[in-house]
Each structure stands twice: as structure tokens, then as C-alpha cells.
Amino acid sequence: MVQRTLKYYYTKARKEGWALPQFNFSCAEQLQGIIEAGVHLKAPLLLGTSEGDSRFLGKTQAVALVESYRKDTRLPIFLNFDHGKSFESVKEAIEAGYDAVHFDGSAFLFKENIAIARKVVALARKNRISVVEGEFSEIPGKHSSFHKGEAPLLSKDSFTDPAQAREFVRKTGVDSLAVLIGTVHGIYKKNPNLDLERLQEIKKHVMSFLVLHGGSGTPPRDLLAAVKTGVVKVNISTELRAAFTNTLRETLKKEPDEIAPYNIFVPSVRAVQKAAERHIQFLGSANKI
Ligand code: G3H
Ligand code: ZN
């Protein structure tokens, strides 16, 4: 059987009006919950590790774990290196065997970002990477902790400019573009509203796939409206971290004498599975293998 690529699923999603959630993980137990969600709902899975996640887990180890689940479950499972901030870190991910990479050059000047992204695309093409994601408008916020405060202040001036998006995609050759239209990293009291008109404009200007970051805490109806406007992937990290860690805290409180990891982690694995299933259901990737 021909192995379908991530690009195949992006194309299918765009045509049919659904999106793939990208679930980030930093330990084997979080991954277990995500895989169980995919198996249960027969969903193609896109997994991600950020620089922090993969520093803890190891890039080679992340690739090997994902490969082992791919063999066991026979599901289409893809691993994306998320927010690689330098050419070197993205190169390491490509060499370790990731299926897709995201070069986040938003901290660079626009021109420098384009030059590095072009190099990433050239390297990726030689290494059978199906999707290279680019970014030039930084997505604000934090997903390293569970915030209940106010969302970062966003000015519409910082949102992705459609003409710049066209120039970026044309000059770099990236397959997908992370756009800033109002989603932010993390969970807050109230996440900002999405600028769907801006998204519509960007869509008119670029041929590449459009993807959203900061899926956690964004109301499903907002994300779905973005998907109906052409977004094919939504990144989710904070919600899975919160599900895992908050459940672990409760388990340790309830069972102070339990020491076996295979008992302690079970409720956390289930909590991650539940959170992942919720996203798969509303983004519409269930039964799409
Ligand atoms: O790159 C990862 C994400 O954009 C996740 O954002 O933590 O708000 O779900 P989130
Ligand atoms: Zn992100």
C-alpha cells in the first residue's frame, strides 16, 4: 500500500472542510493518550514536539516512539517539529526523521526569515519531508503553564498581512503558513476574537495551506469558523498538558501510598485521551483515515 503523506491529508481536509488537530506531547504517557484517541476514533494523527518537548524527550526518541505506534496501530501518524527557532534545530529534526517541520522565523527580520526558510525548504525536499511550515507573525502567549489571567494584548496591526503572506510563501516555497488572526498560545480568562475577514483575505493571496496555533482555550465555534474559511490544521498543546498534569496532581493526592508508575499515570493518560477525542470530534478528523 502506498504510504499517504501529511500533504495528502491537508489536501483532503481543505477539500472536505475539516482540520487535523496537531497534538503536542513531551512524554510517552501523553503520547499514549493521544494514540488511544486516534485509534478509538479512526483519525489520522498529527503529533508535535516543540523545542522544549523534544529537548526533554529527545528527537530520536520521539521519532522512534511515533514509528512504533505507526507499526502497531497502522494509523497514518505524522510527527511535526513545532516552532523550530533556528536552521540548526530544524536540521536536527529533519535528520532525526521527523515527517514535517515548522520553522518559526518570526524573531528574525522578514528578509532573514525568508532566507532561512528557503534553506529549510531546500533541505526538507532532499529528505522526503512532506510539509514545511513557515511563520513570520509571532503568535503571542505561553503554553508552559496554565494561565487564568488576561490574554496578551493583541493589536490588529500585528495580525498577518495578506500581501506579506503572499511574498513570504512565494519566496520561500513553504507548504503551509502559520497565521496570526487572534489565537494565542495558552488558556486565559477570555481568548481574543478571531479576525475571519483577515483570514479570508490571506486565503485569497496565498496558495499554501493555512494553519492556526494556540488552539487551546479557543471556543470550538471560532475554530470551526476558521476551518470553514480554509484552515487545515490547529495546534493544541496547553489543554493536553493541563489534562495530564492536573489529573496527576489529583491522583497523587488521592493515592499518597501508590508508587507504581503504571498505576499512577493511568488517569492522566485517560484525561489526555478525552481531551484529544474532543478536538478530533469537533475539528472533524474522526473516521478520515
Ligand atoms: O505550537 C503549539 C501551539 O500553537 C499550541 O497552542 O498551547 O494554546 O494549544 P496552545
Ligand atoms: Zn504554536
Side-chain angles (χ1 to χ4, degrees), residues 22 24 82-83 143 184-186 213-216 235-239:
Q22 175 187 306
N24 283 16
D82 187 42
H83 290 286
H143 36 190
V184 286
H185 288 139
H213 282 244
S216 298
N235 283 16
I236 319 287
S237 177
T238 307
E239 281 194 35

Side-chain angles (χ1 to χ4, degrees), residues 28-222:
E29 293 75 18
Q30 265 181 308
L31 178 59
Q32 204 179 318
I34 300 164
I35 298 286
E36 282 172 19
V39 170
H40 185 212
L41 297 176
K42 298 187 177 57
L45 288 176
L46 174 57
L47 304 161
T49 65
S50 65
E51 287 191 342
D53 295 323
S54 48
R55 219 179 352 261
F56 173 71
L57 191 60
K59 291 189 178 80
T60 318
Q61 288 68 20
V63 169
L65 271 170
V66 168
E67 178 57 25
S68 69
Y69 279 119
R70 201 179 279 137
K71 272 198 192 137
D72 269 14
T73 63
R74 297 178 172 268
L75 278 183
I77 309 179
F78 306 98
L79 179 61
N80 185 30
F81 184 55
D82 187 42
H83 290 286
K85 299 281 171 72
S86 66
F87 177 75
E88 288 67 32
S89 75
V90 174
K91 183 168 178 267
E92 261 180 42
I94 293 174
E95 286 168 355
Y98 278 64
D99 306 293
V101 289
H102 165 210
F103 170 60
D104 172 1
S106 59
F108 290 93
L109 293 174
F110 190 63
K111 262 189 158 179
E112 290 171 356
N113 185 353
I114 288 177
I116 304 169
R118 275 173 76 106
K119 268 175 58 183
V120 169
V121 170
L123 184 68
R125 298 290 176 251
K126 283 188 218 147
N127 286 272
R128 294 185 303 142
I129 296 280
S130 157
V131 171
V132 176
E133 178 178 332
E135 173 174 339
F136 64 86
S137 354
E138 188 195 349
I139 322 288
K142 271 192 176 176
H143 36 190
S144 54
S145 53
F146 190 53
H147 300 266
K148 286 178 187 150
E150 301 298 332
L153 275 179
L154 279 183
S155 132
K156 289 217 171 182
D157 294 345
S158 64
F159 284 10
T160 303
D161 175 70
Q164 256 194 325
R166 170 156 56 199
E167 183 184 350
F168 187 86
V169 171
R170 271 200 190 151
K171 291 188 172 165
T172 58
V174 293
D175 308 286
S176 65
L177 182 69
V179 293
L180 178 61
I181 55 156
T183 53
V184 286
H185 288 139
I187 301 177
Y188 305 91
K189 269 192 217 156
K190 187 180 176 299
N191 277 17
N193 294 326
L194 303 198
D195 186 346
L196 294 170
E197 279 167 27
R198 176 77 61 124
L199 182 62
Q200 193 67 260
E201 266 314 291
I202 301 169
K203 194 184 159 194
K204 283 188 206 150
H205 280 69
V206 302
M207 297 289 288
S208 72
F209 296 104
L210 300 177
V211 304
L212 279 189
H213 282 244
S216 298
T218 311
R221 63 171 183 280
D222 289 1

